[in-house]
Amino acid sequence: MKIAISKSFNPFNWLPRISVMDWYITKELIGPFLFGVGLFTSVAVTVGALFELVRRVAESGLPYGAAMEIFLLQIPYFVVLAFPMSMLLATLMSYSRLSSDSELIALRSCGVSVYRLIVPAVIMSLIVAGLTFGLQELVVPAASYRATLTLDRALKREKPTFQDRNIIYTEFRKPEKGGEEILSRFFYAEQFDGQQMKGLTIIDRSAPGLNQIVSSESATWNASENTWDFFNGTAYIVAPDGSYRNIVRFQHQQLQLPRTPLDLAARVRDFKEMNIAQALERLEIIKNSGDAPQIRKLRVRIQEKYAFPFVCLVFGLVGAALGTQPRRSGKGTSFGISVVVIFTYYVFSFITSSMGVKAVLTPILSAWLPIAFGLGIGGLLLGRAASR
């Protein structure tokens, strides 16, 4: 079959021309995709946000204006979640309709392969994946963080933008002779008012052959010299064998400690309130803390942020492959198949994510294994449809 080329779909010369067939299939995809975005977003936002806001209005006295603002700010998060599912529904419904009306048979009898037929779906999936990544990075974190602040302010439970008590920082290092990591520094502050830490105890084992314990009334970060200024304290110098070596009382002493405890005291955003750059910055802060579970969890979540937009491609490919199977089914069947595929994929994704957090899988494998598995299944289904 010779595919006709229409200039009417290319008002700008620098754009690639679109064939009549591609444009026809793309138009078939757009309607169900928009329907899916509306449907899945409505369901998700109702279950995930609306019920909780209504409960807070009724039980906690959340003002209606604040509730509406929070509701609107949470919508982008659910729209991003709806994109991959909408892509699946769109491809499944569109190609099923073309198959049930024998249009796919007509095209294939003219020499158009199944692989060529799904090209519009793949291209549209990649565009939606790019849109998902853009919203996920530029809109959702800021909107979600703003929603959290609005809720705290409306309920008069506004928290300081820093951790005000019990700031703990631990740092580990590899011993010179090799082996397991050992404690290098332990930093503890009872209180923090945003400028000054109080009630400090520091155990410093970073210098070989010299252990130091510092107890201080207060301390501040000296930004000009990148050091800590400790006030009214005592430094105990302890020999490696545990014997007493020296005691130094001081009113003011500078210690070369990292700024990390101050960064740790800053308020931590929830993961969905951070974009990838912010998550990587957080990872750098906690990387030397020795909190292995928290570090591993953050690495898994970062990889999941990279991988999530590609779910659009997986669902687009699987939906197109299933839709091109010869069958006569209605929209209800397509919707039912979509629900089964979505449920199966996200259960599998949840399992691999948990295995990544538990260190059974590496962070990269835990995030990308569902993508690879989904693309493999889509490829097999496509090959099966092409062989018929």
Side-chain angles (χ1 to χ4, degrees):
M1 176 184 180
K2 183 178 179 181
I3 305 301
I5 303 297
S6 173
K7 294 183 178 179
S8 62
F9 309 125
N10 183 17
F12 306 102
N13 291 330
W14 50 272
L15 285 177
R17 291 178 175 177
I18 304 174
S19 71
V20 172
M21 182 191 74
D22 290 336
W23 181 240
Y24 178 70
I25 295 175
T26 302
K27 285 196 297 183
E28 289 289 320
L29 291 168
I30 290 174
F33 174 75
L34 295 177
F35 168 75
V37 171
L39 174 67
F40 290 121
T41 300
S42 302
V43 173
V45 80
T46 301
V47 176
L50 187 59
F51 289 162
E52 177 64 16
L53 287 174
V54 170
R55 187 185 69 80
R56 289 187 178 278
V57 169
E59 299 179 4
S60 306
L62 180 66
Y64 290 107
M68 180 58 69
E69 182 180 350
I70 295 167
F71 178 75
L72 295 175
L73 288 169
Q74 289 181 335
I75 286 179
Y77 172 71
F78 294 103
V79 169
V80 168
L81 292 181
F83 276 168
M85 296 183 283
S86 304
M87 203 61 236
L88 173 66
L89 184 65
T91 51
L92 194 51
M93 289 179 66
S94 301
Y95 283 96
S96 293
R97 209 280 299 165
L98 294 173
S99 177
S100 62
D101 290 349
S102 301
E103 294 183 40
L104 291 184
I105 296 175
L107 287 168
R108 294 191 65 182
S109 65
C110 295
V112 183
S113 69
V114 170
Y115 301 108
R116 178 64 182 83
L117 286 171
I118 68 160
V119 168
V122 172
I123 293 175
M124 185 171 171
S125 299
L126 292 173
I127 293 173
V128 175
L131 185 59
T132 301
F133 185 79
L135 284 175
Q136 175 186 273
E137 286 299 292
L138 301 177
V139 178
V140 172
S144 299
Y145 185 59
R146 174 74 180 274
T148 301
L149 295 180
T150 302
L151 180 62
D152 290 342
R153 195 177 302 120
L155 295 179
K156 297 183 171 35
R157 62 177 192 186
E158 195 168 358
K159 301 173 183 175
T161 58
F162 51 83
Q163 182 180 342
D164 58 351
R165 299 191 65 82
N166 297 325
I167 298 158
I168 298 175
Y169 166 68
T170 54
E171 183 179 314
F172 293 83
R173 63 177 170 85
K174 286 278 188 183
E176 295 179 350
K177 297 179 180 178
E180 296 292 328
E181 288 187 335
I182 59 174
L183 180 67
S184 177
R185 290 192 179 101
F186 175 83
F187 184 107
Y188 172 73
E190 289 181 7
Q191 299 178 18
F192 180 49
D193 61 6
Q195 297 293 329
Q196 189 178 58
M197 292 195 180
K198 297 178 181 178
L200 296 106
T201 301
I202 292 93
I203 300 175
D204 189 356
R205 304 175 69 239
S206 58
L210 179 66
N211 296 331
Q212 182 178 208
I213 302 173
V214 178
S215 176
S216 174
E217 183 178 310
S218 62
T220 58
W221 171 250
N222 188 332
S224 61
E225 299 184 25
N226 285 331
T227 186
W228 284 89
D229 289 336
F230 286 81
F231 302 97
N232 301 324
T234 305
Y236 302 88
I237 311 299
V238 182
D241 60 1
S243 61
Y244 158 79
R245 181 176 287 183
N246 197 6
I247 297 178
V248 179
R249 299 186 187 281
F250 60 86
Q251 289 187 332
H252 176 215
Q253 181 174 338
Q254 290 186 324
L255 290 179
Q256 295 292 334
L257 297 175
R259 179 194 150 89
T260 311
L262 191 64
D263 295 327
L264 285 174
R267 181 177 179 181
V268 181
R269 291 190 179 195
D270 184 77
F271 185 72
K272 77 174 184 178
E273 298 170 354
M274 292 189 283
N275 56 30
I276 291 176
Q278 291 167 331
L280 288 172
E281 185 180 336
R282 183 66 188 172
L283 180 62
E284 283 299 316
I285 292 174
I286 66 172
K287 203 158 58 176
N288 293 325
S289 66
D291 190 351
Q294 188 64 27
I295 294 170
R296 187 166 52 245
K297 183 178 180 181
L298 189 53
R299 282 178 169 155
V300 171
R301 297 291 178 259
I302 290 171
Q303 288 300 321
E304 288 174 346
K305 273 191 177 288
Y306 284 119
F308 181 73
F310 288 91
V311 181
C312 298
L313 180 61
V314 171
F315 281 0
L317 182 62
V318 171
L322 288 173
T324 53
Q325 304 284 335
R327 76 163 71 86
R328 293 190 178 276
S329 57
K331 295 179 180 178
T333 305
S334 299
F335 186 78
I337 295 174
S338 298
V339 171
V340 172
V341 172
I342 292 167
F343 178 78
T344 304
Y345 178 85
Y346 281 114
V347 167
F348 182 57
S349 179
F350 176 77
I351 292 173
T352 58
S353 176
S354 301
M355 294 172 74
V357 172
K358 295 295 182 184
V360 178
L361 297 176
T362 64
I364 292 177
L365 195 58
S366 67
W368 289 93
L369 185 60
I371 301 293
F373 186 74
L375 290 175
I377 294 293
L380 288 175
L381 291 172
L382 199 59
R384 184 181 173 187
S387 64
R388 291 185 175 180

